[in-house]
Amino acid sequence: MNILVCIKQVPESNKVEVDPVTGVIKRDGAASKMNPYDLYALETAFRIQEKMGGVVDVISMGPPQAQEVIREAFAMGADHGILVSDRSFGGADVLATSYTLSQGIKSSGNYDLILCGKQTIDGDTAQVGAEIAEWLQIPSVNNVLEIKEVHDDSITISMDLPQEVEVAKISLPCLLSVDQDIFMPRLPSYVKKKATKDREIKVLSLKDMEDTDASHYGLNGSPTQVQRIFPPTSSKEKEMWDGSSAVLADQLFHKIEELKFV
Amino acid sequence: MAKFPDYKDIYVFVEQKNGEPAEVGYELISEARKLVSTIPNMDYKVVGVLLGDNVKDKAEEVIAHGADKVIIVDDPLLKDYSTQFYADALTQIIKEFKPDSFLTGATVLGRDLAPRVAARINAGLTADATKIDIDQDKVADGEALLLVTRPTFGGNLFGTIVCPDTRPQMATIRPKVFDMAPIDETRTGEIIEFKPEWESTTPQVEIMETVAKALEGVDITKANILVGVGRGAEHSIETIKECAKELGGEVCATRAVVEDGFMDKDVQVGQTGKTVRPSLYIACGISGAVQHVAGMEKSDMIIAINRDPEAEIFKIANMGFVGNVDEVLPLLVEEIKKAKAA
Ligand SMILES: Cc1cc2nc3c(=O)[nH]c(=O)nc-3n(C[C@H](O)[C@H](O)[C@@H](O)COP(=O)(O)OP(=O)(O)OC[C@H]3O[C@@H](n4cnc5c(N)ncnc54)[C@H](O)[C@@H]3O)c2cc1C
Ligand SMILES: Cc1cc2nc3c(=O)[nH]c(=O)nc-3n(C[C@H](O)[C@H](O)[C@H](O)COP(=O)(O)OP(=O)(O)OC[C@H]3O[C@@H](n4cnc5c(N)ncnc54)[C@H](O)[C@@H]3O)c2cc1C
């Protein structure tokens, strides 16, 4: 079984600040890491590989620096890495990102299973997985809690819904977005890291795609635009209340009601 | 000349389960009414879209909640939610009726369905939004451009997203951020039944089994509302449980309370317990030690009750109440019960 895991490089912390004048995100030092939710997708891939054989490859779209997360995946046990990178891919929203990744996937081989994380910690939309599946015309399932059975032509999983857990059998190829905690991700191994230090990462740019029309990628191919970014205004503004217990209870009730929790 | 003369109106997906529409659909219809009222010259309508099996009788209800028009697809294939058939039907509706904007609840279902549809029709989709406005500067050009605001970076930043050059403008919106307007049984509206052409009627995903979640052994990490018990609230545990129940939430505790034997370890929040992120965390008699705060500081709204005005918990709370938990909580529970009975 050939598995492909989508991994994204994200800022080290999501405690970012915005320059109040320019409205631009301050990325001082700009330390980055693999999106933590993607570690669960990777671990899921390794567990399936242990049973079924085949390869676990990873794909990431981003600037050349995103090779770092691919190397990290190698150190965890991934077999091959693909970096989808081109100037014209920059500034992509979900539609353009998922389209670019799907083009990259098409030019990289045939995969039986594609795995994504639940969401990222920066853009945080949780939409990329389902849109990749749509471009590839394959079924997809979100909120995957458990892998129950894997066969050559199907996979049985359980998914987390608000009031129930549903068990479903999906024909392959398909895409799954896995929940946190599906498996505990393994740590990168120093031995593997050393052994894979010179392993080639395949870099795909616009010219390697089936569709080479630049207007379908990056900023040009993105219908959404971030018009403005700003920090939450009220959350750190504090309100303090003092007084008799009756007054406090009354205030407290009104606040809870105002926030629509009653 | 308007940029998109063929696209008009605000459409709202009315999600249902077992034939019962979820509230979020009506919340969005109510908000859409407010939005169209800010652009009276454009003569925009609010359109509800209802997919299901035997849901025709719900159309009037959708109108009573504020829709001018309801588009219904009634088909046995749509009885239970499936990405495949719902996305097929919705895509055809959008192609046929050309909505200027299309709103969906940011529920598990909505967040599965909307991206599939968006990719199929090449539309921009704003995720998990909490606020919508119409850019009044563009109205003169005949454009109803939505300004959709959403939290990102785990809630540490907000972004306002626009979708200026493609239609429809799609967004998923969180439940409970908008009020549901009162029902108006006298409203009338148009009901249109739409018959999609199925690409295939063979399901790609086969549901084998549906297991209701056990209510016992609550998972505090999934709770939307948590009431936290600290050592200063150990005499009020029963009242706090009642309060949590009335609010539809769960109870959690500090390590001190767990060690004192009042609560189980699996509801302990903090460094050596669980990390929680509810919409509302009410901290009762909790001092606010860093080890506890580490597990709950990302809650959207933190309300703290503590009799010590210098307590550390007030530093991270959005709202602080300086008082005695044992006195305030019973009164609060009474008020909540009164309000719910009314
Ligand atoms: C403030 C702000 C708000 C935004 N709001 C929107 C919006 O509402 N709508 C919109 O369309 N765009 C939006 N964007 C842009 C969008 O977040 C990203 O640019 C897009 O590339 C990826 O979406 P995501 O990070 O939300 O991924 P998610 O959809 O949260 O990621 C899900 C999974 O997809 C995979 N994945 C995601 N990105 C990559 C990648 N680059 N390489 C490999 N795998 C990947 C991973 O497995 C990941 O776990 C916003 C950006 C910002 C800065
Ligand atoms: C390695 C380590 C790991 C730890 N891990 C955790 C962890 O995971 N989770 C955790 O919670 N703690 C943890 N702790 C313990 C932590 O340091 C604190 O001791 C603990 O959180 C304190 O609990 P508390 O706030 O309930 O009690 P206290 O600190 O005793 O605070 C009680 C508070 O109640 C107020 N109060 C008293 N009576 C009333 C009243 N009638 N009305 C209103 N207010 C009143 C007091 O003013 C006081 O602020 C850890 C400690 C260590 C060293």
Side-chain angles (χ1 to χ4, degrees), chain A residues 5-9 25 27 35 37-38 41 59-62 91-95 97 101 115-129 131-132 177 224 226 228-229, chain B residues 124-127 150 152-153 157-161:
Chain A
V5 185
C6 302
I7 58 176
K8 183 183 181 185
Q9 189 175 44
I25 300 174
R27 295 206 171 169
N35 177 39
Y37 294 105
D38 300 346
I59 189 166
S60 188
M61 167 179 144
D93 72 351
V94 169
L95 192 78
T97 300
L101 283 167
L115 295 173
C116 282
K118 176 191 165 79
Q119 64 187 72
T120 62
I121 60 161
D122 54 354
D124 209 340
T125 65
Q127 291 176 170
V128 168
E131 297 211 9
I132 292 175
S177 297
T224 69
V226 181
R228 189 165 85 93
I229 289 185
Chain B
L125 173 61
T126 305
R150 60 175 298 250
T152 50
F153 289 89
L157 278 186
F158 282 82
T160 299
I161 314 293

Side-chain angles (χ1 to χ4, degrees), chain A residues 92-110:
Chain A
D93 72 351
V94 169
L95 192 78
T97 300
S98 59
Y99 184 66
T100 313
L101 283 167
S102 73
Q103 283 287 319
I105 294 169
K106 280 186 186 166
S107 11
S108 301
N110 285 319

Side-chain angles (χ1 to χ4, degrees), chain B residues 3-60:
Chain B
K3 217 155 141 188
F4 301 99
D6 298 339
Y7 289 82
K8 212 164 173 284
D9 302 334
I10 301 183
Y11 282 53
V12 173
F13 180 71
V14 181
E15 166 180 346
Q16 56 81 24
K17 190 169 166 71
N18 302 325
E20 276 315 309
E23 286 189 358
V24 62
Y26 294 151
E27 292 161 13
L28 297 184
I29 286 181
S30 304
E31 185 64 14
R33 280 244 71 78
K34 287 190 195 159
L35 290 172
V36 299
S37 73
T38 67
I39 47 170
N41 296 335
M42 294 185 72
D43 187 30
Y44 264 39
K45 304 265 186 299
V46 175
V47 184
V49 177
L50 184 59
L51 310 184
D53 183 31
N54 276 320
V55 289
K56 259 178 243 168
D57 57 325
K58 293 286 169 196
E60 300 289 347

Side-chain angles (χ1 to χ4, degrees), chain A residues 4-9 33-35 42 46 56-85 101 188 192-193 196-197 199-204:
Chain A
L4 181 67
V5 185
C6 302
I7 58 176
K8 183 183 181 185
Q9 189 175 44
K33 62 173 180 188
M34 191 187 312
N35 177 39
L42 258 176
F46 296 138
V56 171
D57 295 352
V58 294
I59 189 166
S60 188
M61 167 179 144
Q65 192 200 357
Q67 299 210 3
E68 290 165 12
V69 296
I70 294 176
R71 296 249 163 249
E72 192 183 332
F74 286 163
M76 288 172 71
D79 296 299
H80 311 100
I82 304 152
L83 176 70
V84 182
S85 192
L101 283 167
K192 286 200 177 101
K193 184 175 169 180
T196 57
K197 138 172 110 31
R199 184 179 291 168
E200 194 199 342
I201 293 174
K202 185 158 106 184
V203 181
L204 296 177

